[in-house]
Amino acid sequence: MKYVGMQTQISRNNMLSVLLLLLFPTIILGMTWVCLAVINYFGNGYYDAAGEVHYQLDTNTVNYYFLDVLPWVVGIVAIWFVIAYFANASMVQFAVRSRPLSRKENPRVYNIVENLCMACNMDMPAIYVVDDNQLNAFASGINKRTYAVTVTTGMLNLLTDDELAGVLAHELTHIRNRDTRLLITSIVFVGIVSTVMMVAARTLYNMIWMGGMQSRRSDKDKGGGAAAMYLVLIAVVVCAAVAYFFTLLTRFAISRKREYMADAGGAELCGNPLALASALRKISGNPGLDHVNREDVAQLFIVHPDEMDLGVLAFVEGLFSTHPDTEKRIAILEQF
């Protein structure tokens, strides 16, 4: 693997963050225009003399309504993003069910983190713990105020001091490399798209239910309800396609090399690559936090939860996974 310096990695992650910031509004606005176009296309159908229906797209009308809703879309997404971006710390900790870990409760962890932070001249992040007998850890946050390292109680109980230092050094390297800022940005974006999809799906469900109720009243109502239902269905399909496309783009942007870089930086920081390799081997045997059941949050973890690899989409998820194979990571560490 070609060597990449820390400053190069930081610059690369900052550039990707800016790219995502610019790309996401473009996708949202494009999705809005396509949805309006679909509704306009199927809403302008007419019958010819032979009784066949013809559809046409009035781009002038679509553009008119698009410009009309543009300020609302931009405003809502901007407010949503700002709130989610600056509330990311509490949102992530809520998703994984973590709690603050005090120095009095576990001075061992605080001593290790403090020593590592002094060694690399960085401010000490907050420390959280998840009461889970399985093993995992992750770093999160976008700035010094929100940077945090989270570990499970299972990992604290099973790993030796050297192994724990290797894992914590790995997570601190993610913070130093600005990996967490890039990942949090992608989580916020995917969260907005996912919420839009859920709202659209709920609307579709309500339309189907109300359409069924109206169909009992009159055939005319049935026809109108069916037409509206089809339009909503098409809009949902468009939203789902755009959301899936955006998810793939996000995962492509988040290179798997970030984990290799964090492994290398963590091994250098703790001074014991074999200890980090041993920790990864133990964690991979029982990776926890599978109760999160959110792929966007799982991309923060040092090892992907094995329970989330199950299902018919496991192969597809593997193709776009943000985590490299753990055995390969261990093999590289053992060659240091």
Side-chain angles (χ1 to χ4, degrees), residues 131-187:
D131 295 316
D132 192 325
N133 290 328
Q134 294 178 305
L135 286 70
N136 228 317
F138 67 92
S140 60
I142 59 173
N143 51 38
K144 293 180 180 180
R145 184 180 61 84
T146 57
Y147 285 145
V149 173
T150 304
V151 296
T152 63
T153 52
M155 194 177 71
L156 296 179
N157 295 330
L158 186 62
L159 300 189
T160 65
D161 286 354
D162 288 342
E163 292 169 341
L164 183 59
V167 171
L168 294 174
H170 170 102
E171 301 306 337
L172 291 177
T173 303
H174 274 312
I175 294 176
R176 297 172 67 200
N177 287 352
R178 305 293 191 271
D179 291 333
T180 56
R181 179 181 298 175
L182 175 61
L183 292 171
I184 291 298
T185 302
S186 71
I187 288 175

Side-chain angles (χ1 to χ4, degrees), residues 65-299:
Y65 283 108
F66 175 74
L67 293 176
D68 194 40
V69 302
L70 181 61
W72 292 95
V73 174
V74 173
I76 292 174
V77 171
I79 294 174
W80 194 342
F81 176 79
V82 169
I83 294 175
Y85 189 76
F86 289 102
N88 69 88
S90 58
M91 293 170 61
V92 170
Q93 301 305 335
F94 177 79
V96 300
R97 305 173 193 171
S98 65
R99 58 178 176 83
L101 183 67
S102 65
R103 181 186 298 272
K104 183 177 180 179
E105 180 181 355
N106 199 316
R108 172 195 178 208
V109 175
Y110 270 84
N111 291 337
I112 293 175
V113 174
E114 281 183 337
N115 290 334
L116 292 172
C117 288
M118 286 189 292
C120 62
N121 193 29
M122 69 175 289
D123 294 331
M124 184 170 175
I127 302 177
Y128 289 83
V129 65
V130 180
D131 295 316
D132 192 325
N133 290 328
Q134 294 178 305
L135 286 70
N136 228 317
F138 67 92
S140 60
I142 59 173
N143 51 38
K144 293 180 180 180
R145 184 180 61 84
T146 57
Y147 285 145
V149 173
T150 304
V151 296
T152 63
T153 52
M155 194 177 71
L156 296 179
N157 295 330
L158 186 62
L159 300 189
T160 65
D161 286 354
D162 288 342
E163 292 169 341
L164 183 59
V167 171
L168 294 174
H170 170 102
E171 301 306 337
L172 291 177
T173 303
H174 274 312
I175 294 176
R176 297 172 67 200
N177 287 352
R178 305 293 191 271
D179 291 333
T180 56
R181 179 181 298 175
L182 175 61
L183 292 171
I184 291 298
T185 302
S186 71
I187 288 175
V188 172
F189 285 165
V190 173
I192 293 176
V193 175
S194 299
T195 302
V196 172
M197 286 181 58
M198 288 189 293
V199 171
R202 176 59 62 179
T203 302
L204 175 62
Y205 175 80
N206 291 335
M207 289 294 296
I208 294 175
W209 176 255
M210 293 303 297
M213 295 294 291
Q214 292 176 357
S215 66
R216 301 176 184 177
R217 299 176 183 176
S218 67
D219 292 339
K220 183 178 180 179
D221 290 339
K222 178 180 178 181
M229 182 179 64
Y230 285 133
L231 291 178
V232 175
L233 176 60
I234 293 173
V236 171
V237 171
V238 172
C239 289
V242 172
Y244 182 70
F245 177 67
F246 177 74
T247 301
L248 295 185
L249 287 179
T250 303
R251 294 191 183 180
F252 277 128
I254 303 172
S255 172
R256 299 185 187 189
K257 289 184 179 180
R258 67 182 176 82
E259 288 299 331
Y260 290 122
M261 289 293 300
D263 286 341
E268 181 180 10
L269 181 57
C270 72
N272 192 346
L274 294 181
L276 177 55
S278 176
L280 287 176
R281 183 170 286 108
K282 288 182 179 179
I283 296 173
S284 64
N286 189 22
L289 296 177
D290 47 74
H291 66 271
V292 175
N293 199 29
R294 287 183 53 182
E295 185 61 37
D296 55 346
V297 177
Q299 64 186 347

Side-chain angles (χ1 to χ4, degrees), residues 306-318:
D306 52 357
E307 293 295 328
M308 294 182 64
D309 291 332
L310 302 177
V312 295
L313 296 179
F315 175 73
V316 177
E317 291 289 343

